Amino acid sequence: MNDPTSGLIDIIEPVRPVLVVASYSAWWLVLALAALVLLGLWMRWRGRGVRACRKRLQQLRQACATGRVSQHAAAYRLASELRLGLQLQQLNADLPPPALPVAEHPGWAEAIARLDTLRYQAGAGLEESEWTRLCNQVDIWLKRAGRC
C-alpha cells in the first residue's frame, strides 16, 4: 500500500495547459472590449464639438433670417466659424485649406471673396438666396474638411 504508483495517485489527473490558453484568450477579449469602449468615448467626445459647431451655425442662420443680426456682423461670425473649424490662421481666397478637395478650390476663392466683401465693404449685402447658398457652402466645408 505504500507504493506511490497505486491508490489515489491513479485517479487524479494532471492539470491541463488548455486553461492557460483560455485565460490568454479571455485577456484578449477584455482588451478588445476596452479598446471598443475607448473608441466609443472618443467618438462621442469628438461628436460633442461637431454638434456645438453645427448648433452655432444654425443659430447664426436663424438670427440673420429673423433680422436680429445684420449680414455684416453675420459675415464676421461666419468667417470666424470657418477659420476655427478649418484650423486656419487667416482666411485667404488664394490659399485654400489643405483638407479641401481640389475640385472645390474655385468655390473657395469665390466664397472667401464674398465674405471679404461683406466684411470690409461699407453697405455691401447679399440677396437672401445668395446668403443661404454661402452659409450652406461653409457648412459643407466644415463637415467635409474641418472638425465640424
Side-chain angles (χ1 to χ4, degrees):
M1 278 257 216
N2 290 340
D3 186 11
T5 59
S6 66
L8 290 176
I9 295 177
D10 293 335
I11 297 173
I12 300 173
E13 294 183 18
V15 176
R16 295 183 181 153
V18 175
L19 293 175
V20 174
V21 172
S23 67
Y24 283 129
S25 63
W27 277 109
W28 281 110
L29 180 64
V30 167
L31 288 175
L33 288 175
L36 285 174
V37 166
L38 289 175
L39 179 66
L41 289 173
W42 178 79
M43 289 177 70
R44 183 167 170 85
W45 174 78
R46 177 151 165 74
R48 183 184 62 190
V50 169
R51 286 188 302 273
C53 180
R54 308 244 335 129
K55 185 177 180 181
R56 286 192 306 265
L57 283 175
Q58 186 63 27
Q59 289 172 348
L60 178 62
R61 283 183 185 170
Q62 288 175 350
C64 192
T66 59
R68 290 180 292 164
V69 175
S70 68
Q71 279 188 357
H72 178 72
Y76 275 104
R77 288 177 52 190
L78 191 64
S80 175
E81 288 293 332
L82 189 60
R83 188 178 56 78
L84 290 174
L86 295 175
Q87 300 175 349
L88 299 172
Q89 293 292 326
Q90 181 179 359
L91 294 179
N92 189 350
D94 299 329
L95 186 63
L100 199 65
V102 176
E104 295 190 22
H105 287 188
W108 171 264
E110 179 186 340
I112 298 304
R114 282 187 180 175
L115 274 176
D116 287 345
T117 302
L118 283 174
R119 291 188 296 170
Y120 303 126
Q121 186 177 2
L126 293 175
E127 293 180 13
E128 189 64 34
S129 62
E130 290 180 18
W131 175 254
T132 303
R133 192 176 70 171
L134 180 65
C135 288
N136 289 339
Q137 188 62 48
V138 168
D139 189 26
I140 289 168
W141 286 333
L142 289 175
K143 279 193 283 188
R144 269 192 214 153
R147 297 180 302 160
C148 196

